[in-house]
Amino acid sequence: MNRLIQAAAFGISGIGAAISPAMADEWRFNNFLPETRPETAELEQFVEDVNGALAEGSEITLYSGGSLGLPNTDTLRFLPKGAVEMSLMWANYLGRDAPALSSVVVQGTIGSIEEFEKAIPTVRDIYEEEFADWGVSSVGYVAIPMLSVSVFCRDEPVRTLEDLKSKKLRVWARDQVETFTRLGVAAQIIPQEEMYVALKTGVVDCALYPALYAHTVSLQEVAKYASFLYPMASGPYVIGVATDKWDATDEATKAAITAAADDLWDRTNQYEDDFERELAAREKLGEEGVTWGEDFSDEDRALFVSSVTETWKMLAEEAGGNAPAYRERILSALGR
Protein backbone atom coordinates (compact mmCIF):
# COMPACT_ATOMS: atom_id res chain seq x y z
CA MET A 1 0.00 0.00 0.00
CA ASN A 2 1.30 3.46 -0.86
CA ARG A 3 2.66 5.13 2.28
CA LEU A 4 0.62 8.28 1.79
CA ILE A 5 -2.52 6.16 1.62
CA GLN A 6 -1.38 4.33 4.74
CA ALA A 7 -0.87 7.61 6.51
CA ALA A 8 -4.30 8.82 5.46
CA ALA A 9 -5.77 5.76 7.13
CA PHE A 10 -4.39 7.09 10.42
CA GLY A 11 -6.53 10.19 10.09
CA ILE A 12 -4.06 12.84 9.02
CA SER A 13 -6.77 15.18 7.89
CA GLY A 14 -7.78 15.94 11.45
CA ILE A 15 -4.32 16.88 12.69
CA GLY A 16 -4.19 20.34 11.19
CA ALA A 17 -7.89 21.08 11.42
CA ALA A 18 -7.44 23.70 14.12
CA ILE A 19 -4.82 25.61 12.13
CA SER A 20 -6.09 28.50 10.04
CA PRO A 21 -5.37 28.24 6.32
CA ALA A 22 -2.17 30.05 5.38
CA MET A 23 -2.12 33.11 3.18
CA ALA A 24 -1.06 32.28 -0.36
CA ASP A 25 2.23 34.11 0.21
CA GLU A 26 2.98 32.78 3.71
CA TRP A 27 4.74 29.54 4.53
CA ARG A 28 4.28 28.31 8.09
CA PHE A 29 7.43 26.61 9.35
CA ASN A 30 6.77 24.18 12.21
CA ASN A 31 9.71 23.88 14.61
CA PHE A 32 9.25 21.50 17.55
CA LEU A 33 12.45 22.69 19.28
CA PRO A 34 12.14 25.22 22.14
CA GLU A 35 12.94 28.85 21.42
CA THR A 36 15.90 28.58 23.80
CA ARG A 37 17.71 25.94 21.73
CA PRO A 38 20.70 27.14 19.68
CA GLU A 39 19.30 25.32 16.64
CA THR A 40 16.20 27.51 16.84
CA ALA A 41 18.40 30.61 16.60
CA GLU A 42 19.94 29.09 13.45
CA LEU A 43 16.47 28.43 12.02
CA GLU A 44 15.49 32.03 12.76
CA GLN A 45 18.52 33.15 10.75
CA PHE A 46 17.53 30.79 7.93
CA VAL A 47 14.03 32.30 7.85
CA GLU A 48 15.46 35.82 7.89
CA ASP A 49 17.75 34.96 4.98
CA VAL A 50 14.93 33.47 2.92
CA ASN A 51 12.57 36.35 3.60
CA GLY A 52 15.26 38.86 2.72
CA ALA A 53 15.64 37.24 -0.69
CA LEU A 54 11.94 36.90 -1.47
CA ALA A 55 9.70 39.46 -3.11
CA GLU A 56 7.92 41.85 -0.78
CA GLY A 57 4.76 40.33 0.67
CA SER A 58 6.08 36.75 0.64
CA GLU A 59 7.51 35.25 3.76
CA ILE A 60 8.18 32.21 5.90
CA THR A 61 6.99 32.42 9.51
CA LEU A 62 8.70 30.21 12.10
CA TYR A 63 6.55 28.69 14.86
CA SER A 64 8.81 27.25 17.55
CA GLY A 65 8.35 25.11 20.63
CA GLY A 66 5.53 23.07 19.10
CA SER A 67 3.28 26.14 19.25
CA LEU A 68 1.17 24.87 16.37
CA GLY A 69 0.19 21.79 18.34
CA LEU A 70 1.60 19.35 15.78
CA PRO A 71 3.27 16.32 17.42
CA ASN A 72 6.81 15.81 16.14
CA THR A 73 6.12 12.08 15.88
CA ASP A 74 3.34 12.79 13.35
CA THR A 75 5.33 14.79 10.80
CA LEU A 76 5.00 12.16 8.08
CA ARG A 77 1.24 12.32 8.57
CA PHE A 78 0.57 16.06 8.64
CA LEU A 79 3.24 17.50 6.34
CA PRO A 80 2.22 15.77 3.07
CA LYS A 81 -1.40 16.78 3.76
CA GLY A 82 -0.58 20.48 3.95
CA ALA A 83 -1.20 21.17 7.66
CA VAL A 84 1.88 23.41 7.33
CA GLU A 85 4.06 24.30 4.38
CA MET A 86 7.39 23.44 6.02
CA SER A 87 8.48 21.47 9.08
CA LEU A 88 11.57 20.46 10.97
CA MET A 89 11.94 16.68 11.16
CA TRP A 90 14.17 14.34 13.15
CA ALA A 91 14.38 10.75 11.95
CA ASN A 92 14.59 9.23 15.43
CA TYR A 93 11.13 10.63 16.27
CA LEU A 94 9.52 9.02 13.21
CA GLY A 95 10.14 5.34 13.83
CA ARG A 96 6.47 4.52 14.40
CA ASP A 97 5.50 5.37 10.82
CA ALA A 98 8.89 4.81 9.16
CA PRO A 99 10.74 2.15 11.19
CA ALA A 100 13.72 2.14 8.84
CA LEU A 101 14.50 5.76 9.74
CA SER A 102 15.02 5.03 13.42
CA SER A 103 17.78 2.53 12.68
CA VAL A 104 19.85 4.67 10.31
CA VAL A 105 21.86 6.24 13.15
CA VAL A 106 21.31 4.57 16.50
CA GLN A 107 22.58 6.89 19.20
CA GLY A 108 25.84 5.73 20.74
CA THR A 109 27.10 3.72 17.77
CA ILE A 110 29.29 6.55 16.44
CA GLY A 111 31.76 7.70 19.06
CA SER A 112 33.99 10.27 17.41
CA ILE A 113 33.78 13.36 15.21
CA GLU A 114 36.03 11.68 12.65
CA GLU A 115 33.63 8.76 12.25
CA PHE A 116 30.64 11.08 12.24
CA GLU A 117 32.01 13.17 9.39
CA LYS A 118 32.52 10.01 7.34
CA ALA A 119 28.92 8.97 7.86
CA ILE A 120 27.09 12.28 7.32
CA PRO A 121 26.93 12.27 3.48
CA THR A 122 25.48 8.76 3.46
CA VAL A 123 23.00 9.65 6.22
CA ARG A 124 21.77 12.62 4.21
CA ASP A 125 21.38 10.50 1.08
CA ILE A 126 19.34 7.92 2.98
CA TYR A 127 17.10 10.55 4.55
CA GLU A 128 16.41 12.15 1.18
CA GLU A 129 15.45 8.80 -0.33
CA GLU A 130 13.26 7.72 2.58
CA PHE A 131 11.42 11.02 3.00
CA ALA A 132 10.77 11.18 -0.76
CA ASP A 133 8.96 7.86 -0.45
CA TRP A 134 6.58 9.62 1.96
CA GLY A 135 5.94 12.54 -0.38
CA VAL A 136 8.31 14.88 1.47
CA SER A 137 11.22 16.76 -0.10
CA SER A 138 14.30 17.39 2.05
CA VAL A 139 15.13 21.03 1.31
CA GLY A 140 17.62 21.72 4.10
CA TYR A 141 19.55 20.26 7.02
CA VAL A 142 20.63 21.41 10.47
CA ALA A 143 23.63 19.60 11.91
CA ILE A 144 23.37 18.44 15.52
CA PRO A 145 26.48 18.86 17.69
CA MET A 146 28.49 15.85 18.79
CA LEU A 147 26.82 15.64 22.16
CA SER A 148 27.97 14.23 25.48
CA VAL A 149 25.09 12.41 27.15
CA SER A 150 25.01 12.31 30.94
CA VAL A 151 22.87 10.65 33.56
CA PHE A 152 21.15 13.35 35.65
CA CYS A 153 19.69 12.16 38.95
CA ARG A 154 17.45 13.83 41.48
CA ASP A 155 18.44 12.49 44.92
CA GLU A 156 21.85 10.85 44.73
CA PRO A 157 24.78 10.46 42.34
CA VAL A 158 24.87 7.51 39.98
CA ARG A 159 28.03 6.73 38.05
CA THR A 160 27.90 2.97 37.43
CA LEU A 161 25.58 0.81 35.38
CA GLU A 162 25.19 -1.42 38.42
CA ASP A 163 23.84 1.47 40.51
CA LEU A 164 21.62 2.56 37.62
CA LYS A 165 19.85 -0.80 37.77
CA SER A 166 18.09 0.31 40.96
CA LYS A 167 16.80 3.53 39.35
CA LYS A 168 13.99 4.46 36.99
CA LEU A 169 15.58 6.16 33.99
CA ARG A 170 14.05 8.63 31.55
CA VAL A 171 15.14 8.28 27.90
CA TRP A 172 13.79 9.79 24.68
CA ALA A 173 13.93 7.04 22.05
CA ARG A 174 13.10 3.37 21.68
CA ASP A 175 16.66 2.35 20.84
CA GLN A 176 17.68 3.66 24.26
CA VAL A 177 14.93 1.66 25.95
CA GLU A 178 16.14 -1.50 24.20
CA THR A 179 19.79 -0.80 25.00
CA PHE A 180 19.24 -0.15 28.70
CA THR A 181 16.86 -3.09 29.01
CA ARG A 182 19.70 -5.31 27.78
CA LEU A 183 21.79 -3.84 30.58
CA GLY A 184 19.15 -4.52 33.23
CA VAL A 185 18.08 -0.89 33.62
CA ALA A 186 14.41 0.13 33.73
CA ALA A 187 14.11 2.86 31.09
CA GLN A 188 11.01 4.60 29.79
CA ILE A 189 10.38 7.20 27.13
CA ILE A 190 9.20 10.50 28.56
CA PRO A 191 8.83 13.49 26.21
CA GLN A 192 11.16 16.40 26.80
CA GLU A 193 8.31 18.69 27.84
CA GLU A 194 7.25 16.22 30.57
CA MET A 195 10.72 15.40 31.90
CA TYR A 196 10.91 18.19 34.49
CA VAL A 197 7.66 17.15 36.19
CA ALA A 198 8.55 13.45 35.94
CA LEU A 199 11.78 14.06 37.87
CA LYS A 200 10.21 16.43 40.34
CA THR A 201 7.39 14.04 41.23
CA GLY A 202 9.52 10.88 41.28
CA VAL A 203 8.05 9.22 38.19
CA VAL A 204 11.70 8.70 37.32
CA ASP A 205 14.82 8.99 39.46
CA CYS A 206 17.24 9.89 36.69
CA ALA A 207 17.17 11.24 33.15
CA LEU A 208 19.44 10.79 30.19
CA TYR A 209 20.23 14.23 28.72
CA PRO A 210 23.06 16.28 27.18
CA ALA A 211 24.54 18.86 29.54
CA LEU A 212 24.74 21.29 26.63
CA TYR A 213 20.95 21.58 26.51
CA ALA A 214 20.08 20.97 30.17
CA HIS A 215 19.50 24.65 30.93
CA THR A 216 16.90 24.92 28.13
CA VAL A 217 14.58 22.65 30.13
CA SER A 218 15.67 23.84 33.61
CA LEU A 219 17.00 20.37 34.39
CA GLN A 220 19.35 21.79 37.02
CA GLU A 221 16.33 22.69 39.17
CA VAL A 222 15.25 19.07 39.63
CA ALA A 223 18.42 17.01 39.11
CA LYS A 224 21.31 17.78 41.45
CA TYR A 225 23.78 15.11 40.34
CA ALA A 226 25.20 14.16 36.94
CA SER A 227 27.86 11.94 35.40
CA PHE A 228 28.91 11.55 31.76
CA LEU A 229 28.04 8.23 30.14
CA TYR A 230 28.60 8.32 26.35
CA PRO A 231 29.24 10.54 23.30
CA MET A 232 26.34 10.76 20.89
CA ALA A 233 26.30 11.54 17.20
CA SER A 234 22.89 12.00 15.61
CA GLY A 235 21.67 12.36 12.08
CA PRO A 236 20.88 15.99 11.24
CA TYR A 237 17.51 17.64 11.55
CA VAL A 238 15.81 17.86 8.17
CA ILE A 239 13.73 20.73 6.83
CA GLY A 240 10.89 19.15 4.90
CA VAL A 241 8.31 20.40 2.42
CA ALA A 242 5.54 18.31 0.87
CA THR A 243 6.87 17.21 -2.52
CA ASP A 244 3.81 18.39 -4.42
CA LYS A 245 4.13 21.79 -2.72
CA TRP A 246 7.84 21.96 -3.55
CA ASP A 247 7.28 20.94 -7.16
CA ALA A 248 4.68 23.71 -7.54
CA THR A 249 6.92 26.38 -5.99
CA ASP A 250 8.36 29.05 -8.27
CA GLU A 251 12.05 28.88 -9.05
CA ALA A 252 12.91 32.16 -7.31
CA THR A 253 11.46 30.91 -4.01
CA LYS A 254 13.20 27.57 -4.41
CA ALA A 255 16.50 29.34 -5.06
CA ALA A 256 16.09 31.54 -1.97
CA ILE A 257 15.32 28.55 0.26
CA THR A 258 18.15 26.46 -1.18
CA ALA A 259 20.73 29.23 -0.78
CA ALA A 260 19.68 29.92 2.82
CA ALA A 261 19.67 26.17 3.55
CA ASP A 262 23.23 25.81 2.20
CA ASP A 263 24.36 28.62 4.50
CA LEU A 264 22.50 27.02 7.42
CA TRP A 265 24.30 23.71 6.86
CA ASP A 266 27.69 25.41 6.55
CA ARG A 267 27.11 27.25 9.85
CA THR A 268 25.98 24.20 11.81
CA ASN A 269 28.14 21.45 10.29
CA GLN A 270 31.02 22.39 12.60
CA TYR A 271 32.14 20.18 15.49
CA GLU A 272 35.56 21.45 16.58
CA ASP A 273 34.23 23.41 19.56
CA ASP A 274 31.67 20.87 20.79
CA PHE A 275 33.78 19.53 23.68
CA GLU A 276 34.71 23.01 24.90
CA ARG A 277 31.04 23.99 24.85
CA GLU A 278 30.21 20.83 26.79
CA LEU A 279 32.72 21.68 29.50
CA ALA A 280 31.42 25.25 29.69
CA ALA A 281 27.86 23.92 30.05
CA ARG A 282 28.92 21.62 32.89
CA GLU A 283 30.65 24.50 34.65
CA LYS A 284 27.55 26.67 34.35
CA LEU A 285 25.31 23.89 35.65
CA GLY A 286 27.72 23.39 38.53
CA GLU A 287 27.31 27.04 39.46
CA GLU A 288 23.55 26.47 39.48
CA GLY A 289 23.68 23.52 41.88
CA VAL A 290 24.50 20.41 39.85
CA THR A 291 27.26 18.27 41.36
CA TRP A 292 29.32 16.59 38.64
CA GLY A 293 30.58 13.17 39.58
CA GLU A 294 33.23 11.05 37.94
CA ASP A 295 32.45 9.76 34.46
CA PHE A 296 31.09 6.26 34.06
CA SER A 297 34.08 3.94 33.81
CA ASP A 298 35.66 2.84 30.54
CA GLU A 299 34.39 -0.67 31.28
CA ASP A 300 30.82 0.53 31.70
CA ARG A 301 31.00 2.62 28.56
CA ALA A 302 32.38 -0.33 26.59
CA LEU A 303 29.52 -2.45 27.89
CA PHE A 304 27.06 0.26 26.85
CA VAL A 305 28.49 0.46 23.32
CA SER A 306 28.33 -3.33 23.01
CA SER A 307 24.67 -3.24 23.99
CA VAL A 308 23.97 -0.40 21.53
CA THR A 309 25.59 -2.37 18.71
CA GLU A 310 23.31 -5.33 19.40
CA THR A 311 20.30 -3.02 19.55
CA TRP A 312 21.18 -1.43 16.20
CA LYS A 313 21.29 -4.80 14.46
CA MET A 314 18.08 -5.94 16.14
CA LEU A 315 16.16 -2.79 15.21
CA ALA A 316 17.29 -2.94 11.60
CA GLU A 317 16.24 -6.58 11.27
CA GLU A 318 12.95 -5.89 13.01
CA ALA A 319 12.15 -2.89 10.79
CA GLY A 320 12.86 -4.90 7.67
CA GLY A 321 12.43 -3.28 4.30
CA ASN A 322 15.33 -0.97 3.58
CA ALA A 323 16.56 -0.84 7.18
CA PRO A 324 19.23 -3.59 7.01
CA ALA A 325 20.58 -2.10 3.78
CA TYR A 326 20.67 1.37 5.36
CA ARG A 327 22.66 -0.02 8.28
CA GLU A 328 25.14 -1.69 5.92
CA ARG A 329 25.56 1.59 4.02
CA ILE A 330 26.40 3.42 7.22
CA LEU A 331 28.80 0.70 8.34
CA SER A 332 30.49 0.86 4.93
CA ALA A 333 30.84 4.64 5.22
CA LEU A 334 32.41 4.16 8.64
CA GLY A 335 34.83 1.58 7.26
CA ARG A 336 33.60 -1.15 9.59
Side-chain angles (χ1 to χ4, degrees):
M1 182 185 292
N2 180 278
R3 286 181 171 177
L4 293 181
I5 296 175
Q6 284 181 311
F10 287 114
I12 299 175
S13 58
I15 293 176
I19 299 176
S20 301
M23 298 293 291
D25 56 358
E26 179 192 4
W27 282 32
R28 295 157 300 173
F29 185 176
N30 174 60
N31 169 32
F32 55 79
L33 295 173
E35 293 182 353
T36 50
R37 285 283 287 266
E39 293 94 335
T40 295
E42 294 291 355
L43 292 174
E44 290 170 349
Q45 181 64 55
F46 162 78
V47 168
E48 182 178 329
D49 290 346
V50 175
N51 289 341
L54 293 177
E56 186 175 351
S58 298
E59 67 174 7
I60 294 176
T61 302
L62 184 68
Y63 295 88
S64 299
S67 57
L68 293 177
L70 298 168
N72 51 35
T73 54
D74 290 344
T75 310
L76 295 178
R77 304 183 182 194
F78 65 72
L79 186 57
K81 298 296 290 185
V84 288
E85 288 69 37
M86 180 178 281
S87 185
L88 195 69
M89 306 183 293
W90 193 43
N92 290 61
Y93 285 155
L94 304 174
R96 178 196 59 201
D97 293 338
L101 280 174
S102 62
S103 60
V104 175
V105 181
V106 172
Q107 301 159 81
T109 57
I110 298 175
S112 70
I113 292 172
E114 291 73 23
E115 278 196 326
F116 192 27
E117 289 177 333
K118 291 179 183 178
I120 285 173
T122 302
V123 172
R124 284 184 46 163
D125 287 345
I126 290 171
Y127 285 175
E128 184 173 344
E129 295 165 17
E130 185 74 12
F131 286 129
D133 200 23
W134 282 88
V136 173
S137 292
S138 305
V139 302
Y141 298 87
V142 184
I144 298 176
M146 186 76 178
L147 298 172
S148 296
V149 179
S150 296
V151 176
F152 286 80
C153 295
R154 186 182 67 169
D155 297 325
E156 59 182 351
V158 173
R159 59 167 299 274
T160 70
L161 290 175
E162 187 62 34
D163 287 344
L164 197 56
K165 290 179 182 179
S166 65
K167 307 298 182 184
K168 294 173 292 185
L169 177 67
R170 175 268 176 182
V171 297
W172 64 81
R174 186 197 163 198
D175 58 269
Q176 295 169 326
V177 173
E178 297 290 346
T179 295
F180 281 104
T181 298
R182 290 175 183 274
L183 295 169
V185 176
Q188 60 180 302
I189 296 173
I190 294 178
Q192 177 174 267
E193 61 271 17
E194 298 174 17
M195 179 174 59
Y196 182 101
V197 173
L199 275 166
K200 189 175 182 65
T201 59
V203 173
V204 291
D205 306 298
C206 304
L208 211 61
Y209 211 73
L212 186 63
Y213 296 146
H215 71 282
T216 69
V217 290
S218 301
L219 191 55
Q220 72 277 8
E221 296 179 5
V222 288
K224 296 304 180 183
Y225 302 94
S227 289
F228 166 73
L229 177 56
Y230 68 96
M232 185 188 84
S234 296
Y237 295 115
V238 181
I239 299 174
V241 176
T243 299
D244 56 359
K245 172 72 176 178
W246 187 246
D247 288 346
T249 299
D250 65 272
E251 292 304 317
T253 300
K254 283 184 177 179
I257 291 173
T258 300
D262 288 344
D263 289 343
L264 173 63
W265 178 250
D266 289 342
R267 289 196 307 271
T268 59
N269 188 33
Q270 306 290 333
Y271 310 98
E272 293 79 7
D273 299 330
D274 288 350
F275 185 63
E276 286 74 15
R277 290 194 295 156
E278 164 71 15
L279 294 180
R282 293 186 193 181
E283 182 177 356
K284 179 66 174 177
L285 290 169
E287 294 171 357
E288 296 176 344
V290 177
T291 299
W292 281 93
E294 294 182 25
D295 296 347
F296 280 69
S297 68
D298 290 342
E299 292 76 15
D300 271 355
R301 280 186 276 167
L303 187 59
F304 175 82
V305 170
S306 175
S307 180
V308 169
T309 301
E310 293 178 13
T311 296
W312 189 13
K313 182 177 181 181
M314 181 271 290
L315 290 176
E317 292 174 347
E318 179 185 284
N322 293 324
Y326 289 161
R327 178 174 176 271
E328 289 303 318
R329 287 167 65 178
I330 299 297
L331 286 172
S332 178
L334 293 172
R336 294 183 186 173

